[in-house]
Amino acid sequence: MKKIKINLDLLLPEIPDERDACVQRIITVMQKHKGVEKAHLIPGNEANKAQLCFHYDPDVISIERVEHLAKEAGAEITEQFNHLLIEVESIREMMEANVRENQLKKIPGIADVSVSATGNIRLELDQTKTDKQQLLNAINQEGLKVKSVRQIVYEKDVRPKEEVEQKHEKVEEHEHGEEGAAWKVYLPAIMCFVMLIAGIITDGYIKPAFFAGWVRFVWYGVAYLLVGWTVAVKGIRLLVRGDVFTEFILMTIATVGAFYIGEYPEGVAVMLFYTVGELFQDAAVNRAKRSIKALLDIRPDTATVLADGNYKEVSPTDVKVGDTIQVRVGEKVPLDGEMLSDSSSFNTAALTGESKPSSISKGETVLAGMINQEKVIELKVTKLFSDSSLARILTMVQQATTRKAKTEQFIRRFARVYTPIVVFLAIGLTFIPYFFVENYAFNQWLYRALIFLVISCPCALVISIPLGYFGGIGAGSKNGILFKGSNYLDLMTKVNTVVMDKTGTLTKGVFKVQQVKSYDMPDDQWLPLAAALESKSTHPVAKAIVEYAGNAMKDMTITDLEEIGGHGLKGKANGKEVLAGNVKLMDKLKIPVNEELKNVTDTVVVVAVENKLAGYVTIADEIKEDSKQAVDDLHKRGIRSIMLSGDKQAVVDKIAEQLNIDNAYGDLLPEHKVEKVEQIKEDKSKIVAFAGDGINDAPVLALSDVGIAMGALGSDAAIETADVVIQTDQPSKIATAVKIGKATNRIVWQNIGLAFGVKAIVLALGAGGLATMWEAVFADVGVALLAILNAVRIQRMKF
């Protein structure tokens, strides 16, 4: 058995995400070929791109044939499948979302679909069978009003000079229609309520002779139709399409039945309170959406670009990398860029959740979505709008609600089974007593069955559960934490081991000179020579020395520069031979060093001039202000902390001791980090979260149970691979994410217990004839309202 590894971007050039469904498709296709025994993904790292590894029998199939088949399959897959993210109106809660999802799955050409209770639809379409417009038409025919569409179209930007093929996303936006005025939404319910109260007063107190028979029926009938017509039509439409057992059908049967037996006020009341519950739910969902929708509001409409010496306003999607843009005071930054002006202050709350302004200087990165607060600035664009931090966040947030938690998925499946059982029990409750009860009265038992139907409607469950999760996602975004799906809110509650990268996660990743020690030469003589030599290197340690030396090294001439891998630099500065590197460099070139140098725990750069030891510089990465709090908060929750780093073990041990980290491992290459996490995961009792920020962390993020990326300064690869993104770069937010997950989970289960408990009690009373339709209304709508109020609590919580 032999193996061949092929870079993923050669096979699936249009697929940017290693976890895309198309990766699994190509594996499935290849494993069907005779001679190919196995295919699997090898995640990418700093040294290597993601690869697909194929195990094949050379006696059955050649290596050339495997490679040809793989490329052929990849080409077919990228041409065949595409993705849409659609936001629609008219979806109110989980049961309806489930119904809509099942309906959409029947449309030819849809490979996969997920519909959230908040109106987001994630579609994967087979382009050989359908296209975007056909799907939008089909969705409109389902009675869903499309508000926006995001389609990812991959275009190739060939740059002949470098012969590099770049891929970028072109995001198409379509906005349709506006929400109706609030009074129009509530008017039917208000009119129904007035007519119901008037009818009850007339029935119970005034009792005029004319208010009887057809007059009374018509009065209550009009009141009923004001709120019941849309519910009945929706139920009938779904019934015709094969979804028989929905809450709309339950409510229609129960209320029409109440009219049949002459209980007009109760029939109207059930439908009215059901509608009020729906309106209340809409308001609660909209409230939950606001903290997330605020992100959409920060999306800039225009960018002011410098062209031919003049500034002009264009769409951010038309701006190219390298263009110069101007941002005035109070304006949102439209694209990621490099600061060309000296400095300015920015409001970063929309991206990070932090209200404290951030000061950014010349040469530093400014992100799309920040608000310029101080003076007019110029930026050099470094990323297309579709690749910007803001665009990436918007896509993550919109997709988050379509990834459902296991609890939500269970309730969906439960509702599909539970509702038909309830209907058949109600039918049984109507007719079976005929065979066992003396003086059987059909209307009496029908009334009990109708009460049973109203009580058993699963509104409280299907409304409050997705609302709770959506509130959790909103609470996270308020705190600068992006959960890529409600399933990750659940997973965070189970995490008992957090593995963290050191540089950029627990430390700032900004090296500073800590100490300068001189021997036979004053530091104002040897330090400029060393800085001049280091100025030719791009290493962070070298940059720290150059920054510390300042202008002292200005106008120095460097010749004969030589970089000695793993040791340091050698060259001539103003004609003097200079060495700058580690102790191993001095040993290699036979320059004696003091024993104290070998015991320095910080990163050390030893300098020799004309083959004589001149001195050394210690350099350390600064620990983030909240790193100690982060580890302490995890320990308070019984979560074990582990640190992994490529830095030397002495440095890692020192930081681990300062932060009270349980275990710390240094001298690790990216592949060694993967091995460490694999070792930790061998203990099946451990649910592992990994927090990192670099390109080399992407494989470990993908391997962990929950991947957490530091999003403000983290690499694109880490952010795309992670399940949770911390926009503030604060490690203390890891514990906050756990708290939000646990609060969400607690509220969801409280609602499940409340709904089942109250319904069980009132169902028993209803079946025994001890409960009326009014108690049934409380058991259904009342409990639903209580569950909604409980669910929205999470948006008021402080984390």
Side-chain angles (χ1 to χ4, degrees):
M1 190 63 62
K2 291 189 176 181
K3 294 189 289 187
I4 177 176
K5 297 176 183 177
I6 307 175
N7 283 348
L8 191 62
D9 63 352
L10 295 177
L11 302 179
L12 300 171
E14 309 293 321
I15 304 298
D17 189 347
E18 295 173 17
R19 299 179 298 171
D20 191 276
C22 291
V23 177
Q24 187 56 50
R25 284 194 182 100
I26 198 171
I27 289 173
T28 303
V29 168
M30 288 301 294
Q31 288 181 156
K32 291 179 180 178
H33 289 294
K34 190 176 181 181
V36 179
E37 299 295 328
K38 181 185 176 185
H40 63 94
L41 175 72
I42 301 173
N45 55 40
E46 191 170 18
N48 301 300
K49 295 180 179 179
Q51 296 174 313
L52 277 175
C53 181
F54 302 101
H55 299 237
Y56 68 98
D57 185 344
D59 294 331
V60 178
I61 189 170
S62 67
I63 187 172
E64 293 81 11
R65 182 64 177 161
V66 172
E67 191 168 359
H68 172 76
L69 289 171
K71 287 182 179 179
E72 193 177 62
E76 289 177 1
I77 285 170
T78 53
E79 287 177 7
Q80 185 176 353
F81 295 99
N82 205 340
H83 304 80
L84 291 176
L85 188 63
I86 303 169
E87 186 180 2
V88 298
E89 296 177 5
S90 307
I91 292 182
R92 284 183 164 179
E93 33 71 5
M94 192 168 68
M95 179 179 279
E96 185 177 356
N98 193 33
V99 169
R100 298 296 189 181
E101 188 173 298
N102 291 328
Q103 292 295 330
L104 290 174
K105 283 178 180 177
K106 298 173 185 177
I107 298 175
I110 290 185
D112 189 36
V113 60
S114 178
V115 182
S116 78
T118 53
N120 283 324
I121 302 174
R122 182 163 46 88
L123 281 174
E124 191 169 346
L125 61 138
D126 185 338
Q127 297 185 118
T128 63
K129 298 178 180 177
T130 188
D131 60 28
K132 182 183 76 173
Q133 194 55 51
Q134 287 179 349
L135 287 181
L136 292 178
N137 292 340
I139 289 170
N140 284 324
Q141 288 172 8
E142 289 290 323
L144 299 173
K145 185 178 180 182
V146 175
K147 292 174 67 178
S148 68
V149 181
R150 291 174 64 85
Q151 179 181 10
I152 298 175
V153 182
Y154 301 99
E155 297 179 351
K156 297 174 183 176
D157 178 15
V158 180
R159 294 184 295 164
K161 290 181 181 178
E162 299 180 24
E163 295 184 352
V164 175
E165 186 179 359
Q166 282 192 326
K167 296 173 281 291
H168 61 82
E169 296 179 357
K170 181 181 178 184
V171 181
E172 299 180 4
E173 298 279 357
H174 303 281
E175 299 294 337
H176 300 278
E178 296 181 357
E179 297 287 343
W183 68 270
K184 289 182 180 179
V185 175
Y186 294 105
L187 184 60
I190 293 170
M191 290 176 64
C192 176
F193 177 74
V194 170
M195 290 185 72
L196 175 63
I197 296 300
I200 291 173
I201 292 172
T202 304
D203 267 340
Y205 300 98
I206 302 174
K207 298 180 181 179
F210 71 87
F211 197 69
W214 282 102
V215 173
R216 184 170 180 266
F217 173 77
V218 169
W219 179 266
Y220 284 114
V222 170
Y224 175 84
L225 290 175
L226 284 169
V227 291
W229 177 255
T230 54
V231 176
V233 167
K234 193 176 289 187
I236 292 168
R237 185 185 294 131
L238 294 173
L239 178 66
V240 170
R241 294 177 183 176
D243 280 284
V244 179
F245 302 106
T246 64
E247 64 176 271
F248 313 113
I249 291 294
L250 289 186
M251 283 295 143
T252 304
I253 293 173
T255 51
V256 170
F259 266 72
Y260 170 76
I261 60 175
E263 299 290 347
Y264 305 148
E266 295 185 5
V268 174
V270 168
M271 191 60 80
L272 172 62
F273 288 120
Y274 172 77
T275 303
V276 169
E278 293 284 287
L279 292 171
F280 194 88
Q281 174 203 334
D282 285 347
V285 169
N286 289 334
R287 182 184 179 85
K289 280 183 177 181
R290 280 185 203 126
S291 57
I292 290 176
K293 285 292 186 184
L295 286 170
L296 298 176
D297 295 335
I298 66 168
R299 179 174 48 203
D301 298 320
T302 61
T304 307
V305 182
L306 180 63
D308 301 324
N310 297 311
Y311 283 102
K312 63 177 183 178
E313 290 191 352
V314 299
S315 169
T317 56
D318 295 332
V319 181
K320 299 174 183 175
V321 172
D323 284 352
T324 298
I325 61 173
Q326 184 186 75
V327 184
R328 292 182 282 268
V329 177
E331 286 185 343
K332 302 162 191 168
V333 177
L335 300 103
D336 292 1
E338 178 187 328
M339 188 79 156
L340 297 179
S341 303
D342 289 336
S343 67
S344 189
S345 178
F346 295 85
N347 181 336
T348 64
L351 293 176
T352 66
E354 292 294 309
S355 57
K356 183 181 176 182
S358 176
S359 181
I360 298 177
S361 303
K362 186 175 182 178
E364 295 181 338
T365 299
V366 181
L367 299 179
M370 293 180 175
I371 299 174
N372 182 22
Q373 291 186 314
E374 195 172 323
K375 55 192 173 185
V376 178
I377 59 163
E378 289 186 341
L379 303 175
K380 178 184 176 183
V381 175
T382 55
K383 288 182 181 179
L384 296 169
F385 176 75
S386 56
D387 296 327
S388 67
S389 303
L390 176 61
R392 190 172 58 231
I393 291 167
L394 294 177
T395 302
M396 285 179 198
V397 169
Q398 282 187 293
Q399 289 182 335
T401 56
T402 64
R403 296 187 175 104
K404 304 171 187 72
K406 286 185 177 178
T407 309
E408 189 175 347
Q409 291 171 341
F410 166 75
I411 293 297
R412 279 189 166 209
R413 292 192 297 269
F414 172 80
R416 298 289 291 179
V417 175
Y418 167 85
T419 308
I421 289 174
V422 163
V423 171
F424 287 120
L425 286 175
I427 293 171
L429 188 58
T430 305
F431 296 105
I432 292 176
Y434 173 81
F435 301 101
F436 301 100
V437 176
E438 292 184 15
N439 302 319
Y440 170 81
F442 173 76
N443 281 3
Q444 177 189 349
W445 288 98
L446 175 61
Y447 182 68
R448 293 186 184 185
L450 297 176
I451 292 170
F452 186 87
L453 276 182
V454 173
I455 296 168
S456 58
C457 184
C459 296
L461 294 173
V462 298
I463 291 171
S464 62
I465 290 173
L467 183 60
Y469 282 115
F470 197 61
I473 292 171
S477 70
K478 277 184 181 177
N479 286 273
I481 303 167
L482 294 179
F483 293 94
K484 289 190 180 179
S486 52
N487 47 330
Y488 302 119
L489 280 162
D490 272 355
L491 269 174
M492 285 304 297
T493 67
K494 301 173 184 175
V495 168
N496 52 29
T497 305
V498 173
V499 182
M500 292 170 280
D501 179 48
K502 178 180 76 70
T503 307
T505 301
L506 292 169
T507 64
K508 294 181 178 179
V510 179
F511 289 88
K512 298 283 185 184
V513 172
Q514 305 294 312
Q515 181 185 13
V516 178
K517 177 73 181 284
S518 298
Y519 290 115
D520 297 333
M521 185 184 294
D523 57 40
D524 60 354
Q525 292 183 24
W526 64 263
L527 187 59
L529 297 173
L533 201 66
E534 295 284 10
S535 69
K536 304 302 179 182
S537 172
T538 58
H539 195 281
V541 170
K543 290 181 178 179
I545 295 173
V546 171
E547 183 182 350
Y548 184 81
N551 293 326
M553 48 159 276
K554 195 176 180 182
D555 300 328
M556 284 193 178
T557 304
I558 303 297
T559 57
D560 301 333
L561 183 67
E562 180 185 353
E563 184 168 349
I564 303 170
H567 293 74
L569 298 172
K570 177 183 179 182
K572 288 185 177 180
N574 281 1
K576 293 183 179 181
E577 187 171 282
V578 181
L579 299 171
N582 53 28
V583 174
K584 290 187 289 185
L585 177 65
M586 302 299 137
D587 291 341
K588 182 182 178 70
L589 298 177
K590 305 292 190 291
I591 296 174
V593 297
N594 297 336
E595 191 64 31
E596 67 169 311
L597 271 173
K598 298 180 180 178
N599 297 323
V600 175
T601 55
D602 289 336
T603 299
V604 62
V605 177
V606 187
V607 179
V609 179
E610 299 292 6
N611 292 321
K612 288 184 179 179
L613 188 66
Y616 68 85
V617 177
T618 62
I619 295 172
D621 189 3
E622 191 177 348
I623 295 174
K624 290 181 179 178
E625 292 82 356
D626 66 326
S627 290
K628 182 68 165 63
Q629 177 195 339
V631 177
D632 290 345
D633 287 348
L634 292 174
H635 286 163
K636 286 176 186 175
R637 287 164 179 77
I639 298 172
R640 189 174 182 78
S641 59
I642 298 173
M643 182 170 69
L644 305 181
S645 176
D647 213 337
K648 62 183 183 180
Q649 190 65 49
V651 174
V652 173
D653 287 340
K654 180 180 177 181
I655 291 176
E657 185 178 353
Q658 287 177 309
L659 300 181
N660 196 27
I661 289 173
D662 297 315
N663 295 98
Y665 303 95
D667 299 311
L668 299 176
L669 295 173
E671 56 267 33
H672 298 148
K673 291 182 181 179
V674 172
E675 290 171 6
K676 279 291 179 188
V677 173
E678 285 176 338
Q679 289 173 12
I680 295 167
K681 288 191 69 177
E682 285 176 3
D683 182 350
K684 299 301 180 185
S685 66
K686 290 182 178 176
I687 306 298
V688 179
F690 177 84
D693 74 312
I695 293 172
N696 59 350
D697 293 326
V700 200
L701 287 164
L703 176 67
S704 59
D705 295 301
V706 183
I708 303 172
M710 295 292 156
L713 299 176
S715 75
D716 289 351
I719 291 168
E720 291 297 336
T721 308
D723 307 309
V724 179
V725 180
I726 295 176
Q727 285 298 111
T728 61
D729 276 344
Q730 295 174 286
S732 59
K733 295 289 187 181
I734 298 171
T736 305
V738 173
K739 282 196 280 186
I740 291 172
K742 289 191 173 181
T744 304
N745 188 266
R746 186 166 57 248
I747 282 173
V748 165
W749 282 102
Q750 284 171 358
N751 285 344
I752 290 173
L754 172 69
F756 278 121
V758 173
K759 284 180 182 293
I761 294 169
V762 184
L763 274 174
L765 294 173
L770 301 176
T772 68
M773 196 70 84
W774 298 105
E775 282 84 4
V777 168
F778 170 75
D780 176 40
V781 180
V783 170
L785 292 176
L786 290 174
I788 290 168
L789 288 171
N790 193 38
V792 298
R793 276 196 312 124
I794 194 169
Q795 297 162 56
R796 298 176 178 272
M797 293 180 180
K798 301 291 183 183
F799 294 100

